[in-house]
């Protein structure tokens, strides 16, 4: 199974390739990042690493054996024992259980290494695969949300210490 790694400076070329190759695929369910995202990618990547260094976010990449990014799994707005989970998996990796694997792994890290007690995640109602990943990893529906003009569902996961 591919390993989840903490985002680092050397991941930038692979992350940019991942985002470019999957741009249309991702736009089916989430608002497009826009051309500026790609034009200013180096600065954006450096900004993410800065946020991570300050502890306000925790970014992760799921890599194949060749170092290509298969998915991104991020914890943002880390504060007061909670964070928001966001993730995306490459089109070529969809349907292989990698989203579920990555979400499970980042939840373990959130609980065991980052000391978080609660995660929140949103998914578009038009994205049944993402909704299934959240339910399959223990998240509980907690209400409806607007995701850039599209209906979505918020989910919550209470992280209990290991016994």
């Amino acid at each position: 199974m591919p390993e989840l790694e903490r985002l680092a400076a050397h991941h930038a070329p692979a992350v940019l390739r991942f985002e470019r190759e999957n741009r249309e695929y991702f736009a089916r369910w989430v608002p497009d990042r826009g051309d500026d995202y790609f034009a200013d990618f180096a600065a954006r990547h450096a900004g993410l690493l800065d946020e991570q260094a300050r502890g306000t976010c925790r970014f992760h990449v799921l890599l194949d054996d060749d170092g290509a990014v298969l998915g991104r799994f991020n914890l943002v707005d880390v504060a007061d024992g909670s964070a928001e989970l966001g993730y995306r998996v490459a089109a070529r990796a969809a349907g292989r259980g990698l989203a579920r694997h990555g979400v499970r792994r980042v939840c373990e890290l959130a609980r065991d290494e980052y000391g978080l007690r609660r995660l929140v995640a949103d998914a578009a109602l038009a994205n049944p695969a993402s909704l299934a990943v959240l339910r399959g990893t223990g998240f509980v529906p907690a209400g409806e949300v607007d995701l850039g003009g599209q209906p979505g569902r918020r989910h919550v996961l209470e992280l209990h210490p290991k016994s």
Side-chain angles (χ1 to χ4, degrees):
M1 189 63 74
E3 281 301 311
L4 196 67
E5 293 184 11
R6 187 94 173 261
L7 184 69
H10 73 272
H11 292 125
V15 171
L16 179 57
R17 189 174 322 109
F18 167 82
E19 293 292 345
R20 281 187 175 145
E21 289 174 356
N22 293 284
R23 185 176 182 179
E24 285 184 36
Y25 176 68
F26 296 146
R28 294 182 199 172
W29 297 288
V30 295
D32 183 64
R33 293 186 186 275
D35 294 337
D36 288 346
Y37 174 86
F38 298 96
D40 299 331
F41 185 80
R44 289 185 185 282
H45 192 76
L48 295 179
L49 295 175
D50 182 56
E51 287 181 74
Q52 185 164 261
R54 286 180 294 163
T56 58
C57 296
R58 308 282 189 195
F59 302 106
H60 307 84
V61 289
L62 188 67
L63 304 174
D64 70 11
D65 293 337
D66 297 324
V69 175
L70 296 172
R72 296 179 70 180
F73 299 84
N74 302 321
L75 299 170
V76 299
D77 298 333
V78 175
D80 300 322
S82 69
E84 186 171 329
L85 167 70
Y87 62 94
R88 51 181 54 201
V89 173
R92 71 181 178 94
R96 296 176 24 203
L98 295 179
R100 189 174 289 197
H101 168 73
V103 168
R104 279 189 180 132
R105 184 68 186 113
V106 84
C107 289
E108 291 169 359
L109 290 169
R111 180 192 65 217
D112 300 340
E113 293 191 26
Y114 308 145
L116 300 178
R117 298 178 309 278
R118 185 176 201 252
L119 297 180
V120 175
D122 298 336
L125 296 181
N127 189 348
S130 191
L131 293 166
V133 166
L134 292 173
R135 283 191 308 271
T137 54
F139 281 80
V140 176
E144 304 302 313
V145 293
D146 182 301
L147 300 173
Q150 301 220 1
R153 183 162 293 129
R154 172 152 293 154
H155 294 76
V156 174
L157 177 65
E158 301 297 336
L159 299 169
H160 302 288
K162 286 178 23 176
S163 322

